[in-house]
Amino acid sequence: MNRLLLSLSLILTFFFFSCGERKPVGRAADARYLEDGSNKGLVNLDKINAQDFSRAANQLVTDLLASGSLAEAPIQPAILHIGEIRNDTQTYFDTDLLLQGMKRDLLASKRVRISTTAGPEGKIADSYADTVRKELGADGDKQINRPRPYFSLSGKIIEETSRVEKVTQKDFYFLLTLTELNGGTGVWFGRELITKQGSRGAIGF
């Protein structure tokens, strides 16, 4: 009798847990949201992580504003064209992951306006805005303002790899150049280095 009751109890317990709500356990239960730029994010040796883009953008903008180069434009705030930022690393990513944060912070500084309708060979950020401006200009609308950029920002991101025994070091160089268009000369050269070292990826802390 006792064995029968024990068996029934075990069957009912199994049935209850198998039909109830299943919740993830162990590693499957630790997913969480992180703040933008948090140092608690994943750290991959072989790629640039989100916090790396945030750090590079913040440092480059701080350096550019501190240089005073934007103040050289005769009309303030200076008008800036965003040129090509080439990705020379071993992994694909959209360079807007870096540039969008930089553009946001530059605009917030009130020292620059960013042109989205000017670019070489038709490469512009907002084709619709450019089309509307051209149509209004063709109609003789005198309210159309045609300021051209005074500066252009371009650059590239380079990856270098070093290894000693089982330890790998990845150096990611963010190299930017601010060019004054009238003279065609560079007036600011930005450099930010993100270095990672280890034998495998890790979780930030």
Side-chain angles (χ1 to χ4, degrees):
M1 185 67 178
N2 289 336
R3 290 184 178 179
L4 178 62
L5 290 174
L6 179 61
S7 298
L8 287 174
S9 176
L10 291 173
I11 292 172
L12 289 173
T13 301
F14 175 79
F15 179 80
F16 174 78
F17 281 104
S18 62
C19 295
E21 180 184 0
R22 296 187 178 184
K23 296 182 179 180
V25 294
R27 286 188 172 272
D30 63 358
R32 63 191 186 279
Y33 289 103
L34 298 177
E35 295 295 328
D36 184 14
S38 170
N39 59 3
K40 296 181 180 180
L42 298 179
V43 179
N44 296 102
L45 284 172
D46 58 348
K47 63 176 291 186
I48 301 174
N49 297 110
Q51 62 269 27
D52 302 326
F53 285 113
S54 296
R55 172 183 162 185
N58 290 338
Q59 293 296 326
L60 288 166
V61 168
T62 299
D63 187 60
L64 174 57
L65 294 177
S67 72
S69 300
L70 295 174
E72 296 177 10
I75 300 177
Q76 294 291 324
I79 300 176
L80 174 66
H81 167 254
I82 303 296
E84 180 184 9
I85 308 295
R86 196 168 69 245
N87 174 13
D88 281 346
T89 70
Q90 298 178 23
T91 56
Y92 168 79
F93 59 82
D94 193 321
T95 53
D96 267 350
L97 293 172
L98 171 73
L99 291 174
Q100 205 68 7
M102 292 189 65
K103 289 186 283 188
R104 176 199 61 201
D105 294 341
L106 285 171
L107 285 175
S109 74
K110 305 297 183 182
R111 300 190 197 180
V112 68
R113 288 188 295 163
I114 296 174
S115 172
T116 57
T117 57
E121 301 175 0
K123 295 180 181 179
I124 55 180
D126 192 329
S127 57
Y128 174 71
D130 182 60
T131 299
V132 170
R133 284 169 56 82
K134 288 179 179 178
E135 290 177 351
L136 292 174
D139 292 338
D141 192 333
K142 296 182 179 180
Q143 294 183 354
I144 297 299
N145 189 15
R146 294 182 176 81
R148 70 175 181 84
Y150 191 81
F151 295 111
S152 181
L153 186 68
S154 61
K156 58 184 175 181
I157 304 171
I158 301 174
E159 174 183 346
E160 293 288 339
T161 304
S162 304
R163 291 187 179 89
V164 175
E165 296 182 352
K166 295 183 180 180
V167 178
T168 299
Q169 178 170 309
K170 289 282 187 176
D171 298 307
F172 296 96
Y173 294 87
F174 296 77
L175 309 175
L176 298 183
T177 299
L178 184 71
T179 301
E180 190 266 293
L181 295 176
N182 286 341
T185 57
V187 294
W188 173 78
F189 297 90
R191 173 188 178 276
E192 178 62 21
L193 173 61
I194 302 290
T195 297
K196 304 180 183 185
Q197 188 182 94
S199 57
R200 60 182 180 179
I203 299 176
F205 54 89

